[in-house]
Each structure stands twice: as structure tokens, then as C-alpha cells.
Amino acid sequence: MRGKFITLEGIDGAGKSTHLRWIARFLKGRRIKVTVTREPGGTAFGETLRRLLLGGRQRLHPETETLLVFAARREHLDKVIAPALGAGRWVLCDRFTDATYAYQSGGSRVRWGRVGALERWVQRGLQPDLTILFDVSLAVARRRAGRKIRPDRFERERDAYFERVRKAYLRRHREDPRRVRVIEAGRGMAEIRKELEPLLLKLCP
Ligand code: TMP
């Protein structure tokens, strides 16, 4: 039987990585074989691209970034995601195409439809079975990242950018509410896990 494909999303500071570790443990505890992966990344090429995109000093045109993440996604699907799903493993992916809508389109203003065109080309109808969007306010994300309460001009610009990223994520939820489930992530772990459990159990055989 084909495995399930789960992706995790949210602005930086939403607590996604902590939840990812818990979800992986939860599934493994139910004897599900899980492949944990991430984007950008997941393949040797993807990890190289990740270093270039996140650590690079060059500022790339947002459309260049969009094309590059989709090129890496094509490899990731071909080499990791599709084979794992085909072998009956579940794939738990830290960020996927919704992140391109959120960051490149929402944040950096690449046209929404351009991301959609690449999504159709690269994914050929393949979509995650479940996307969990960890949503927090900017204030909470900033507090978690240990930043000061009163932002300076640069931080305000960053905040406006992340506000657009957050809005774009919520638009993805409105466009496909059955797949993209929003978890209000400003709360304690126990409360969040109580909401995650039924979402995961619904996918279990
Ligand atoms: P992470 O450390 O939470 O995985 O963050 C990776 C960064 O990459 C994050 O700032 C979002 C960004 N990103 C994009 O801009 N576009 C994409 O398509 C993906 C997958 C990530």
C-alpha cells in the first residue's frame, strides 16, 4: 500500500521542528515506517542548493529562487519522496510547495500563478495527503526567537515580509482547507498535541 505524504509548514519561530520530532515518534510508535526529509534539501543536490540559498551572499531574483527550489523539488520527488511512498513508507517533509507560495510569492511577490504553473509541472497532480500549518502571530514568533519587543526599522521591514508570508500560508489553507490544516501554534505543547493526534490517526490504516 502506498504510504502517506505529510508536510509541515509555518513561519520561522512557529515551533515546526519540535512538532516534527514528536510526529515522527508518534508514527513510529504505531509501527509506521517513516522517512523524514526537508526542503530545501532532502537530496545531495537539494542540500547543496539549501546552503546556496540560505547561506549565500548573492541576492537572487525571487523568480530565480522559485525556479531553483522547484528544480530541487523535482529531484527530491524523483529520488526520495516517490520511491518511499511507493515502498509503503510515510514521508514527513519539513516544508514543501506551500513554502514557495508563502515565501517567494507572499513574501517576495512572485506571481501566485507562476508558482502554480511550476507546481503542476513538477508535481503532476501529486499533493501531500496532509499539510499541517503551524500558525503563530509575528509577536509570538519574535518572542520565541528571543528578539526584542520594540523592533527597529529593519526588523519592522522583516515583520512586514513575514506578515505577507503568514498571510500567503493562510491563503493556501483557504484554497484547500481539507489538505492544509491550521494549528494555532502559540499554545502549549500538550494542547497542540491533542489536536495533532486525531489528524494523524485519520490517515492511519
Ligand atoms: P527551515 O530551516 O525552517 O527549513 O527554513 C528554510 C528556509 O527556506 C525558510 O526561511 C523558508 C525558505 N524556503 C523558501 O523560501 N522557499 C521554499 O520553497 C522552501 C521549501 C523554503
Side-chain angles (χ1 to χ4, degrees):
M1 215 166 71
R2 186 185 169 276
K4 304 285 184 196
F5 182 23
I6 303 174
T7 61
L8 303 190
E9 301 284 358
I11 58 170
D12 310 69
K16 181 170 58 65
S17 315
T18 315
H19 297 304
L20 181 135
R21 285 192 292 275
W22 181 83
I23 292 170
R25 272 203 311 277
F26 178 85
L27 295 175
K28 285 174 187 165
R30 302 188 67 83
R31 295 165 180 263
I32 291 167
K33 292 202 170 71
V34 185
T35 294
V36 177
T37 185
R38 67 175 179 180
E39 289 203 357
T43 61
F45 171 69
E47 291 295 330
T48 304
L49 182 71
R50 181 185 182 92
R51 282 194 295 280
L52 281 174
L53 284 177
L54 306 185
R57 285 198 206 105
Q58 289 183 62
R59 265 191 75 80
L60 296 172
H61 189 286
E63 288 188 352
T64 310
E65 273 179 17
T66 306
L67 291 163
L68 288 171
V69 293
F70 269 105
R73 189 160 292 140
R74 183 72 187 84
E75 278 305 293
H76 196 200
L77 281 164
D78 187 54
K79 304 277 177 354
V80 178
I81 298 173
L85 294 175
R89 298 179 67 87
W90 288 33
V91 174
L92 188 53
C93 191
D94 190 344
R95 297 194 191 280
F96 193 61
T97 299
D98 296 302
T100 317
Y101 279 100
Y103 285 82
Q104 276 66 48
S105 192
S108 304
R109 302 194 159 111
V110 170
R111 272 169 42 195
W112 199 258
R114 297 226 157 119
V115 178
L118 289 169
E119 177 185 33
R120 284 189 293 281
W121 179 16
V122 165
Q123 291 169 225
R124 297 164 198 198
L126 179 93
Q127 284 292 353
D129 296 289
L130 170 68
T131 295
I132 305 171
L133 170 55
F134 293 98
D135 182 54
V136 283
S137 68
L138 260 288
V140 170
R142 203 175 328 112
R143 214 167 38 240
R144 284 202 182 141
R147 280 181 249 142
K148 41 184 194 284
I149 303 299
R150 203 187 295 270
D152 58 28
R153 194 176 70 86
F154 177 69
E155 284 167 332
R156 277 201 303 277
E157 272 175 27
R158 271 177 60 90
D159 282 3
Y161 170 86
F162 281 114
E163 230 19 296
R164 293 199 301 277
V165 172
R166 182 183 182 204
K167 270 208 188 125
Y169 266 136
L170 292 170
R171 176 172 170 189
R172 290 300 283 160
H173 160 69
R174 287 195 307 279
E175 288 178 347
D176 193 353
R178 247 170 43 92
R179 172 178 67 85
V180 184
R181 311 300 290 258
V182 181
I183 295 275
E184 205 280 282
R187 300 167 299 162
M189 287 294 167
E191 260 180 285
I192 292 174
R193 285 170 188 173
K194 236 189 271 163
E195 271 185 39
L196 286 175
E197 263 195 47
L199 288 180
L200 299 170
L201 288 174
K202 229 165 60 191
L203 290 182
C204 288

